Amino acid sequence: MHVAVCVKQIPDPAVPGALNADHSLKREGKLILDESDSYGVEMALQLVSAAGDGEVTLISMAPNGEVSGLRTALAMGAAKAVLATDPALAGTDALGTAKVLAKCIERAGGVDLVLAATESSDGYTGTVPAQVAELLGWPALTFAKHVEIADGKVTIQRQTETGYDVVQASLPLVVSVTAGVVEPRYPSFKGIMAAKNKPVDQCTAADLGLGDQVGWSGARQSITNVEQAPARQAGEKFEDDGTGFEKVVTFLETLKVI
Amino acid sequence: MALNKVWVYAETNGDKVTTATLELLTKAREIATTVEAIYAGTAGDAVATQVGEYGATTLYVVDPGATLPGQTAATAIASLVGQHSPDAVLFVQSYDGRDAMARVSVKLDRPVLTNGFTLTGDDKLTFGTAIFGGTVLVDAQYTDASVALIGVRPKSFTAEASGGAAAAVVAVETGDAGRAAEATVLERFEEEQTGPKLEEAAVVVSGGRGIGAAENYKPLVEELAKLLKGAFGASRAIVDAGWVPYALQVGQTGKTVKPKLYVALGISGATQHMVGMKNSDNIVAINKDGEAPIFGIADLGIVGDVHKVVPALIDAIKAKS
Ligand SMILES: Cc1cc2nc3c(=O)[nH]c(=O)nc-3n(C[C@H](O)[C@H](O)[C@H](O)COP(=O)(O)OP(=O)(O)OC[C@H]3O[C@@H](n4cnc5c(N)ncnc54)[C@H](O)[C@@H]3O)c2cc1C
Ligand SMILES: Nc1ncnc2c1ncn2[C@@H]1O[C@H](COP(=O)(O)O)[C@@H](O)[C@H]1O
């Protein structure tokens, strides 16, 4: 089985974000593997190993030729990667991203299953996986918190507002997985060394035949205003000396909650 | 000048239209002359009454059978947009809502603006979203005039009925969804829910890693929530740790809540948590670290141990009632 995993490389979420003058996200410095995607990578490795044969291909788009996040996922055990990278990709929105990823998946060839996270940590549109599926003409089983494959059919537990649904479709298809669906492994030292020599197939928007559908123009939107959100005022703060609960009781009474 | 026509993709729990859908209908009424809704499901008449009360005059109904409703709705929406040219289609940033908007966006080759929480009409639609954990507000517009596809986070607007009559039901063909229609719902499981719903409760009590262990959730968080007739929630830290189910998670990747009172027990106040609760009317935080960021937005902060403060609080409330 050939599983493709969409992995996004993002700025370290621990570092406060900033915008460039053109309102694009500042993506200076090293990009890392989005933690949300580590679940898809782990899931793919487990599914391939359960199937007994096949491999895992990473699919990624990043404007600046970044590979360090990919190396992390390769070190976990993925075999190779397709990376769409091109300055022209800066400013690409979710639909444009999905177009690029779908073309990369076709380029990888013979893919049976595509995994992605339900939402990325920095973009969190939550639409890219279903967009990729629609572009490929495949079903999408979205928001999966449990995944099983048997006889060419994928069955998932799909998160709902009130519980979950059991949803099924046949391969090939796209599955988006929630955080916590599996426990991602840490790359071993051997894995890290091996990752250095694993192939990363780099391509541009033009290679994929997507010249004008990506970047800012493809996004067909303009940012009209950026401002700091009004900060909420902090109220009173008490060190508990054994009577802290009384402060809460009084507060609840003024709100007429009790 | 208002927009001419705005559509809302209506979602339900059983036969009941979700509050987030009603919020969108209310906003749509404010920015457009005509509001219509699209629904994929079998409770068309019940939905028509409810969306009518919130201002929709027409309800397009498509029967999804056992398929995932969002995916099937997408096929219908894409062809209806071609026939009726609405100015915008609004979706809730929910599970089915995201399935629907994603597929519509590809079918119409239109970008979709997601995670919106403000919308202003006039003759051009302006969409507002928040980035960096809600600290920076960004407004955006389409650069061309074709249909706007917009995903909105729940609790962005307040639902208000207009008292309208039931919407006229128009049944529409499912259309050819291609292989997307292969995704079949085999079974549905409802997690048992006691007390009010997290997104609808007037009081929400949430617990974080500071409660120490899974077994403390019930006596501290659930118990306090019950006494305040509220719902209980959680930070992602304790959802990931498996202490409580994901359905209780509040924040960027969980639920957005806006209760009259939010009580945070042993929660540090990461930006991703605060996105989901900082618009609560009142916030009480109990945390033993006086420097915890949650105190920066709390109306009342108690720097103390939840294992001491909360049981004393519970006893005091019990003693009063
Ligand atoms: C992409 C992404 C999405 C995310 N989405 C969400 C989301 O939707 N919701 C969410 O909540 N998080 C989310 N997170 C995680 C978030 O960044 C934090 O890690 C998480 O909110 C921390 O949970 P916590 O406050 O319970 O734990 P911690 O940050 O560990 O805080 C525990 C707090 O408990 C206090 N404490 C300890 N012992 C006691 C005691 N005895 N009495 C009182 N206080 C005590 C400590 O002082 C500390 O402040 C997301 C992260 C990412 C990267
Ligand atoms: N630039 C990208 N490269 C690779 N995968 C991506 C990219 N953008 C989004 N994805 C995938 O789509 C998921 C959902 O992204 P989003 O729609 O931005 O929330 C991500 O978690 C990834 O799995």
Side-chain angles (χ1 to χ4, degrees), chain A residues 71-150:
Chain A
R71 293 286 172 215
T72 305
L74 291 168
M76 287 172 71
K80 57 189 186 354
V82 179
L83 172 66
T85 183
D86 187 337
L89 292 169
T92 301
D93 76 321
L95 178 59
T97 302
K99 288 178 181 175
V100 169
L101 298 178
K103 290 285 183 199
C104 290
I105 290 161
E106 284 167 358
R107 187 176 167 104
V111 170
D112 301 300
L113 171 66
V114 175
L115 294 180
T118 53
E119 54 190 40
S120 62
S121 296
D122 63 340
Y124 56 99
T125 77
T127 59
V128 167
Q131 286 170 322
V132 168
E134 179 70 24
L135 287 158
L136 295 170
W138 293 0
L141 303 179
T142 44
F143 310 102
K145 57 176 197 162
H146 182 83
V147 182
E148 272 169 36
I149 303 191

Side-chain angles (χ1 to χ4, degrees), chain A residues 28-45:
Chain A
E28 290 155 0
K30 205 174 102 177
L31 301 181
I32 60 171
L33 174 67
D34 185 346
E35 189 229 79
S36 306
D37 283 321
S38 61
Y39 302 96
V41 175
E42 178 63 39
M43 173 62 65
L45 293 168

